[in-house]
Amino acid sequence: MENTEKRQAENIGNWDEAFHLYANVIAGENDALRVKATIKLARMSKRAPENILSCTVPILVELLESPSRNPSPLVQEASAYCLKCIACKGEGQLAILIGQSGAIPILLRLLPNSDGSFRKCLLKCLRNVVTFGDPNRMIVASNGGTEIVLNMLNSCSDDSMLILLEILSALALIREVRKLIFSSGGVRLLVESARCGSLISRRRAAQAIGLLGLIKRARRTLGNAGAIPVLMELINDGDMSMKLVAANALGVILTDDDNIWPVAESGVVPLYAELLEGSDPIGREIAVDVLYTLATVEDNAFAILIYLVRILTGDNHEAKSVAGDILGHLLDCHKHLLPLLRNSLSQGSVIT
């Protein structure tokens, strides 16, 4: 079918004519033909010109709304499916157009009473609209969408949860949404959205966790919700962009002035030591800030000292420079560790 549709797309010389044919089908009253034409449009949207797709958006939004006196779920589902596909196109511009055309309030109105494949289709449409169109996130939030998503997550037990978590990670980049998540007890859901889902969604969630952590009273809540091991996993397994976002977020949680976490046994220190020795200057800066603060707690100091000595006896000159600064601060806080350091350096060995 894929190859057939590709040949059909290549053979269409006049997309304007194709659009008018579609519009004529939609103007009719045969729901079966409407559904068939809209699904075909969705599949052809991969190759259709963006200007043609933009012309279909108002029609699709009208189909999605479907008169309340005569609703047609199959037509609405086909429309949501097609809008989901179109939202991925146009480097975000088509997703923004979908939001500006009034689709979001309709999606939010339909969601609470939907189920099965219709609900999943609505959710996927909403996910793509907020993923590819940043301004749409505020439209969702201002129309009560955050509350709807949180309520659905609290009662969801099927595979729709993953889609909801990806929607939440996008919305959570808005300050007002983060405040609502915190005040409504939804922090565990934000942490869960950093644990699973697509990598881009998990990175958004990690960024949102770091931003939420700027609220001092939220840091302990994030820690208790399991944010620390989740962020550690992202630092371990992610690419450099993910490592930096997650390391920054974790640092915000760990370095709470009132409650600096004892992390010597958790494996956190090696992660930041790796960033300290890395080539990325932002990663090194994050590592310095975090290790500098963590070193003030005695339970952390010895674990940090081990890695600082290893760096200082190595040949990474950039890392040596900043490691020396951290070491000076550590010894100011814990002078009893100085003899251990001297003994180790005099023997040319690394503390173990």
Side-chain angles (χ1 to χ4, degrees):
M1 182 177 290
E2 181 81 9
N3 291 334
T4 300
E5 290 170 356
K6 184 175 181 179
R7 287 194 298 271
Q8 288 174 344
E10 292 170 348
N11 291 333
I12 295 177
N14 191 332
W15 281 100
D16 287 329
E17 181 181 349
F19 166 72
H20 289 301
L21 288 172
Y22 174 72
N24 288 336
V25 171
I26 300 304
E29 297 185 358
N30 188 320
D31 283 350
L33 289 178
R34 286 173 159 189
V35 170
K36 183 177 180 181
T38 301
I39 291 175
K40 184 175 181 180
L41 171 62
R43 291 171 177 165
M44 302 290 280
S45 66
K46 298 176 183 178
R47 304 169 193 92
E50 291 171 16
N51 64 311
I52 295 297
L53 293 177
S54 66
C55 292
T56 68
V57 169
I59 297 173
L60 291 166
V61 172
E62 186 175 348
L63 286 178
L64 182 66
E65 188 164 23
S66 192
S68 57
R69 65 182 180 276
N70 186 29
S72 177
L74 290 177
V75 173
Q76 291 173 306
E77 183 173 343
S79 173
Y81 171 69
C82 194
L83 287 169
K84 178 210 74 168
C85 296
I86 291 174
C88 304
K89 299 274 290 181
E91 298 182 345
Q93 293 306 307
L94 288 172
I96 292 172
L97 175 61
I98 291 170
Q100 292 172 340
S101 299
I104 291 172
I106 301 170
L107 290 169
L108 296 175
R109 175 172 57 80
L110 293 173
L111 268 171
N113 297 318
S114 63
D115 56 19
S117 64
F118 185 29
R119 168 174 286 195
K120 188 174 292 187
C121 201
L122 293 172
L123 286 174
K124 287 182 177 181
C125 181
L126 184 62
R127 177 195 60 194
N128 284 11
V129 165
V130 297
T131 295
F132 294 98
D134 293 1
N136 292 335
R137 298 166 188 172
M138 184 59 74
I139 300 175
V140 173
S142 62
N143 281 274
T146 307
E147 293 88 340
I148 292 172
V149 170
L150 289 173
N151 288 336
M152 291 180 71
L153 277 168
N154 283 319
S155 61
C156 184
S157 59
D158 59 17
D159 54 359
S160 294
M161 177 171 283
L162 192 60
I163 308 170
L164 285 161
L165 289 173
E166 293 190 348
I167 295 170
L168 183 65
S169 74
L171 298 180
L173 295 178
I174 300 174
R175 183 181 180 186
E176 291 76 8
V177 171
R178 292 193 299 275
K179 287 182 176 180
L180 179 57
I181 289 172
F182 180 61
S183 63
S184 65
V187 171
R188 63 178 179 81
L189 297 172
L190 179 59
V191 172
E192 183 67 11
S193 70
R195 190 186 68 81
C196 55
S198 67
L199 288 179
I200 190 170
S201 174
R202 296 174 72 189
R203 183 164 60 243
R204 285 196 307 258
Q207 181 181 352
I209 287 171
L211 292 169
L212 180 58
L214 296 176
I215 303 174
K216 290 190 66 174
R217 65 184 185 277
R219 294 172 190 167
R220 178 62 60 171
T221 304
L222 285 164
N224 291 336
I228 292 175
V230 169
L231 292 171
M232 287 176 60
E233 181 183 346
L234 294 178
I235 298 171
N236 263 323
D237 301 337
D239 58 14
M240 183 51 67
S241 174
M242 178 74 86
K243 286 180 186 292
L244 295 180
V245 171
N248 184 67
L250 182 57
V252 170
I253 298 171
L254 294 176
T255 57
D256 182 354
D257 292 338
D258 297 326
N259 294 294
I260 299 175
W261 289 73
V263 294
E265 304 300 324
S266 68
V268 164
V269 173
L271 297 179
Y272 285 100
E274 182 181 344
L275 285 176
L276 195 65
E277 294 183 272
S279 59
D280 192 289
I282 298 176
R284 190 178 299 118
E285 183 178 343
I286 292 171
V288 169
D289 290 342
V290 173
L291 292 174
Y292 197 91
T293 306
L294 290 178
T296 60
V297 174
E298 186 167 353
D299 287 345
N300 300 327
F302 184 74
I304 294 172
L305 181 62
I306 292 173
Y307 285 93
L308 292 179
V309 170
R310 289 179 180 176
I311 292 171
L312 290 168
T313 55
D315 56 5
N316 186 329
H317 297 293
E318 290 184 347
K320 277 185 175 182
S321 175
V322 291
D325 294 337
I326 300 171
L327 180 61
H329 168 68
L330 185 151
L331 293 175
D332 283 342
C333 297
H334 310 285
K335 292 182 172 59
H336 62 281
L337 292 177
L338 185 56
L340 179 64
L341 174 65
R342 285 174 175 167
N343 181 60
S344 177
L345 293 176
S346 65
Q347 295 179 9
S349 61
V350 176
I351 301 171
T352 57

